[in-house]
Amino acid sequence: MPIPPQPYINIQNGSVTGSLTRGQTFYWYNPTGTDVTMKNTGTWTSVDSVVVPANGSAQVTFLQNPNTFGLAFTESPNEWNVPGMPHISNPGFPEEVDEAGDEEGDDAPEQDVA
């Protein structure tokens, strides 16, 4: 079973190998012996549904402006083998940086250091 280039997401446990980058491609990696259809990913990937072949991978694009709230998906048949609903467990992509060079979500005032 060939492992795809990084970054890739394991469909069984949601782990990300490598770092997802907004607007760039990644691979769904299916280490199982069953073809799996990934569904309901259209809020954060370029396609809402894709078939990942048994012991293979499928390339998709991480959206430039994804809804990163859940990073969830569904599978058919369900090969998810860890607790909870299918989701990415460690997205690994950097926070957006605003024009001032601050990470978004960091609303603390800047302080000069003497």
Side-chain angles (χ1 to χ4, degrees):
M1 133 180 47
I3 295 177
Q6 292 185 14
Y8 63 86
I9 301 171
N10 183 310
I11 66 143
Q12 284 189 298
N13 59 25
S15 67
V16 176
T17 300
S19 293
L20 298 176
T21 303
R22 296 167 192 255
Q24 299 298 311
T25 60
F26 72 91
Y27 293 85
W28 286 111
Y29 173 51
N30 179 3
T32 75
T34 305
D35 291 352
V36 176
T37 301
M38 308 303 295
K39 298 179 184 177
N40 302 311
T41 62
T43 62
W44 57 279
T45 75
S46 57
V47 295
D48 192 53
S49 177
V50 64
V51 174
V52 186
N55 300 309
S57 62
Q59 185 178 23
V60 297
T61 300
F62 193 71
L63 293 177
Q64 183 66 38
N65 295 305
N67 174 356
T68 58
F69 180 69
L71 296 173
F73 51 89
T74 58
E75 303 177 346
S76 178
N78 187 6
E79 294 292 330
W80 186 254
N81 65 6
V82 295
M85 297 296 294
H87 64 282
I88 296 177
S89 60
N90 57 330
F93 53 85
E95 289 194 45
E96 293 289 312
V97 176
D98 66 19
E99 291 177 15
D102 300 324
E103 289 183 357
E104 287 188 10
D106 178 12
D107 294 327
E110 297 298 318
Q111 296 181 353
D112 293 329
V113 177

